Amino acid sequence: MNQCLVVDDSRTIRRAIIATMKDLSFEFQEAGDGLEAIEKCKSRMPYLIILDWNMPNMTGIEFLRNLRRMSGGEKPKVILCTTETGLNFIQEALKCGADEYIMKPFTNEIIKEKLKLLRII
């Protein structure tokens, strides 16, 4: 079973993303910030990561940079899911290794459409 790591400092957002994807064949893990997410990736590298930008301890971009330098860290598909909507933010996310970008607030359909674009579903 493929693993999805949902990284957001909001438990409500993490639960909303998991609820949207519950009918897909994923095992889910959660992390409240980038530091926790790095530890989870060290234990088991996920197939998919849905990642917030603005978090305490380690931001999503800092996590993404660290992830892509880890052994096996080039493999996960990463969708950045954030309130940062400026073109410069999107460009930085893609430059740092994000595969897709979703702006909050999001809908179930938007998440599923991004998963289709990445050929995950």
Side-chain angles (χ1 to χ4, degrees), residues 32-73:
D33 63 42
L35 287 176
E36 185 182 354
I38 287 289
E39 292 306 311
K40 292 192 184 271
C41 289
K42 287 178 183 176
S43 295
R44 181 178 176 200
M45 192 62 72
Y47 176 75
L48 171 66
I49 300 171
I50 300 180
L51 177 66
D52 185 22
W53 188 302
N54 296 307
M55 297 179 291
N57 303 318
M58 180 186 286
T59 67
I61 286 296
E62 291 169 331
F63 164 82
L64 188 53
R65 287 182 182 130
N66 283 298
L67 171 74
R68 294 306 191 203
R69 288 192 295 257
M70 292 174 67
S71 176

Side-chain angles (χ1 to χ4, degrees), residues 6 11 28 43 49 76 79 115 120:
V6 181
R11 186 171 189 260
F28 292 95
S43 295
I49 300 171
I79 299 174
L115 295 175
I120 293 172

Side-chain angles (χ1 to χ4, degrees), residues 3 7 11-12 29 33 43 53 66 80 96 100 110 115 118:
Q3 184 182 36
V7 187
R11 186 171 189 260
T12 302
Q29 281 198 317
D33 63 42
S43 295
W53 188 302
N66 283 298
L80 209 65
C96 290
E100 272 297 338
I110 290 171
L115 295 175
L118 293 174

Side-chain angles (χ1 to χ4, degrees), residues 8 13 16-17 20 81 102-111:
D8 198 299
I13 295 292
I17 291 169
T20 295
C81 183
I102 295 174
M103 293 176 212
K104 292 178 184 175
F106 56 85
T107 63
N108 296 353
E109 292 77 27
I110 290 171
I111 290 177

